């Protein structure tokens, strides 16, 4: 099963059926649709469910590939934040700012920051366990973990360490997805593709970031914005009729990288020395720079592309904007949330926001806000949610899903 960035699932390749199926199926973002307009979600599973065994056949021949129908639904969520809370007044003690200046421009009043022995993996594990508990799924029934983060505890990724800390005995696949503040949306779509096309049944999608590690705490233009957190959802396979991930729309534009980045930089001093052997070798020690952002350009980018992306996803799902119960955006800045909802003519009371308490938590912001909304009773089973992430890359994407 393949999928492209516009949210369309392409026809699965099954050699044994080649030539026997007429290519008369039109394809939409929510699955397959036949000429008669009836939705037919048909996917190829790597597990070949219910394959028939033939008498006298070898093990390799005993499993015939079949087309199976799969959907996916979001059935559990959880979140975790560091214990250290930093208010705007606290920030005013280390940088030239004040509570009014920050809150008026961003809507942020507090944020949580990793400290002491806390790390991002710990937050991710706590959020994941809460999601599993809500979903009533045992940790050993998880067969895939997607860790959406741009600030892992290890250069090579944190997902396997999350898997270890969860105590998964069957060694399920676990890997990181790096897409900054769009990461969680990319993770949801990836989970759906793994379920629909790979036969996975229970996928943990975790959004977690600790951008406090890459913030210049002397720059009041950026340090006031960011906080650390983790959020998780459990995405589970279901019958196609119960499919809850209705459509998606994903994009990136590398030209916008200049507006938001934390670039790789070599040390200005040659600590190792080349000994005169080869010019430029060994390479100098290097690290990532502090986060650099052109706030005005990022604002313009977000309020322009996010409504377009959500409208595109709604069109693929065959739904009008009036069908949205909740607008759930990446919690970057209250002005962005207000700008997008205004352009889409969605009332402010239908916009989920917890920005004031946590700031911009990057890939964690959407699942963190979702978890609070679900646990408070605001979001109920069957509610339709339009979620959108946007940020560094530049990347952006949206998905339409029903909760529960």
């Amino acid at each position: 099963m393949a999928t492209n960035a516009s949210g369309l699932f392409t026809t699965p390749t099954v050699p044994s059926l080649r030539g026997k199926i007429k290519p008369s199926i039109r394809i939409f973002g929510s699955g397959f649709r036949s000429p008669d307009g009836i939705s037919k979600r048909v996917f190829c599973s790597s597990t070949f469910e219910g394959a028939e065994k033939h008498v006298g056949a070898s093990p390799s021949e005993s499993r015939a590939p079949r087309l199976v129908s799969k959907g996916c639904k979001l059935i559990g969520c959880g979140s975790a934040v560091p214990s250290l809370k930093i208010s705007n007044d606290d920030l005013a003690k280390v940088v030239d700012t004040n509570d009014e200046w920050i809150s008026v421009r961003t809507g942020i009043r507090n944020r949580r920051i990793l400290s002491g022995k806390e790390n991002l993996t710990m937050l991710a594990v706590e959020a994941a366990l809460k999601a599993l508990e809500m979903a009533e799924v045992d940790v050993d029934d998880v067969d895939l973990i997607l860790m959406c983060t741009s600030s892992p505890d290890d250069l090579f990724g944190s997902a396997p360490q999350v898997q270890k800390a969860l105590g998964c005995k069957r060694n399920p696949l676990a890997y990181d997805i790096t897409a900054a503040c769009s990461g969680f949306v990319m993770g949801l779509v990836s989970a759906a593709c793994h379920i629909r096309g790979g036969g996975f049944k229970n996928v943990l999608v975790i959004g977690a970031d600790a951008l406090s590690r890459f913030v210049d705490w002397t720059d009041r233009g950026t340090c006031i914005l960011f906080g650390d957190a983790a959020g998780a959802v459990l995405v589970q396979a279901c019958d196609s009729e119960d499919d809850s991930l209705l459509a998606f729309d994903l994009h990136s534009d590398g030209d916008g990288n200049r507006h938001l980045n934390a670039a790789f930089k070599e040390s200005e001093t040659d600590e190792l020395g080349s000994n005169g052997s080869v010019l430029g070798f060994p390479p100098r020690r290097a690290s990532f720079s502090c986060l650099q952002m052109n706030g005005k350009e990022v604002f313009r980018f977000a309020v322009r592309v996010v409504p377009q992306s959500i409208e595109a996803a709604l069109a693929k799902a065959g739904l009008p904007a009036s069908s949205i119960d909740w607008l759930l955006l990446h919690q970057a800045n209250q002005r962005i949330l207000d700008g997008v909802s205004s352009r889409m003519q969605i009332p402010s009371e239908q916009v989920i926001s917890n920005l004031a308490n946590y700031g911009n938590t990057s890939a964690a912001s959407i699942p963190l806000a979702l978890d609070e909304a679900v646990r408070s009773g605001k979001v109920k089973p069957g509610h339709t949610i339009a979620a959108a992430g946007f940020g560094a890359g530049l990347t952006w994407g949206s998905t339409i899903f029903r909760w529960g």
Side-chain angles (χ1 to χ4, degrees):
M1 175 67 59
T3 176
N4 64 25
S6 63
L8 307 182
F9 290 95
T10 57
T11 309
T13 302
V14 184
S16 63
L17 298 181
R18 188 174 295 154
K20 298 181 181 180
I21 299 178
K22 296 181 180 180
S24 59
I25 299 176
R26 292 189 299 152
I27 306 170
F28 290 80
S30 59
F32 287 86
R33 197 174 292 269
S34 61
D36 59 9
I38 301 175
S39 178
K40 300 180 184 295
R41 294 184 181 87
V42 185
F43 303 96
C44 180
S45 170
S46 63
T47 54
F48 307 128
E49 296 183 8
E52 297 178 358
K53 292 186 177 181
H54 304 285
V55 178
S58 67
S60 62
E61 297 173 332
S62 63
R63 293 176 129 193
R66 292 174 45 200
L67 291 177
V68 296
S69 180
K70 287 289 184 183
C72 54
K73 56 185 179 179
L74 286 70
I75 62 170
C77 57
S79 61
V81 296
S83 57
L84 178 62
K85 180 166 72 172
I86 301 296
S87 68
N88 290 345
D89 289 332
D90 293 327
L91 277 181
K93 298 174 183 178
V94 297
V95 68
D96 183 17
T97 190
N98 58 67
D99 177 66
E100 182 182 5
W101 192 91
I102 297 173
S103 59
V104 168
R105 287 165 175 77
T106 69
I108 301 168
R109 292 191 176 276
N110 297 288
R111 72 281 296 145
R112 299 297 184 97
I113 303 296
L114 285 174
S115 63
K117 295 183 179 180
E118 294 175 328
N119 59 46
L120 195 66
T121 300
M122 292 169 58
L123 293 183
V125 169
E126 182 181 343
L129 288 173
K130 290 178 180 177
L132 289 171
E133 180 181 24
M134 180 184 290
E136 297 182 347
V137 171
D138 188 87
V139 68
D140 285 323
D141 290 328
V142 174
D143 45 15
L144 177 62
I145 299 171
L146 302 177
M147 176 75 164
C148 309
T149 183
S150 297
S151 51
D153 290 331
D154 188 292
L155 173 65
F156 300 117
S158 290
Q161 293 305 306
V162 171
Q163 179 233 67
K164 174 186 175 183
L166 284 172
C168 302
K169 297 177 182 177
R170 298 189 300 112
N171 296 327
L173 174 64
Y175 66 89
D176 284 31
I177 294 176
T178 302
C181 303
S182 305
F184 182 76
V185 171
M186 310 302 179
L188 274 185
V189 174
S190 297
C193 292
H194 278 293
I195 288 172
R196 290 166 169 162
F200 291 84
K201 295 182 179 179
N202 290 300
V203 181
L204 264 176
V205 183
I206 304 169
D209 264 311
L211 293 188
S212 63
R213 297 167 170 172
F214 301 98
V215 165
D216 179 355
W217 290 99
T218 67
D219 176 14
R220 74 170 185 171
T222 56
C223 75
I224 62 173
L225 298 173
F226 297 97
D228 306 333
V233 299
L234 194 285
V235 184
Q236 188 174 72
C238 65
D239 292 336
S240 60
E241 306 84 59
D242 300 320
D243 191 19
S244 297
L245 188 59
L246 307 178
F248 63 90
D249 180 76
L250 307 175
H251 300 275
S252 61
D253 177 12
D255 187 56
N257 172 259
R258 66 187 187 276
H259 300 311
L260 179 55
N261 62 75
F264 186 74
K265 293 180 63 176
E266 286 189 341
S267 171
E268 295 181 359
T269 60
D270 191 356
E271 298 177 3
L272 297 177
S274 63
N275 296 321
S277 55
V278 179
L279 184 64
F281 181 84
R284 294 176 178 177
R285 295 188 186 278
S287 62
F288 291 100
S289 68
C290 289
L291 189 149
Q292 306 292 320
M293 182 175 68
N294 183 328
K296 290 184 179 179
E297 288 299 327
V298 171
F299 174 84
R300 291 169 184 160
F301 151 74
V303 296
R304 174 175 55 87
V305 303
V306 172
Q308 294 172 355
S309 181
I310 294 174
E311 288 166 0
L314 283 168
K316 292 169 189 173
L319 296 173
S322 59
S323 66
I324 297 174
D325 293 304
W326 299 104
L327 180 63
L328 175 56
L329 303 179
H330 163 52
Q331 308 286 293
N333 184 306
Q334 190 61 46
R335 288 181 173 178
I336 293 177
L337 272 62
D338 294 341
V340 172
S341 61
S342 176
R343 291 196 179 196
M344 297 194 67
Q345 298 183 335
I346 295 176
S348 58
E349 56 267 23
Q350 290 179 243
V351 180
I352 297 174
S353 175
N354 64 355
L355 183 69
N357 296 325
Y358 304 107
N360 181 341
T361 57
S362 191
S365 75
I366 291 176
L368 172 62
L370 175 64
D371 183 49
E372 290 197 340
V374 169
R375 292 179 187 274
S376 68
K378 182 181 291 186
V379 170
K380 302 182 186 301
H383 279 183
T384 299
I385 298 173
F390 50 91
L394 296 170
T395 58
W396 67 99
S398 62
T399 180
I400 311 299
F401 66 88
R402 291 195 182 97
W403 174 252

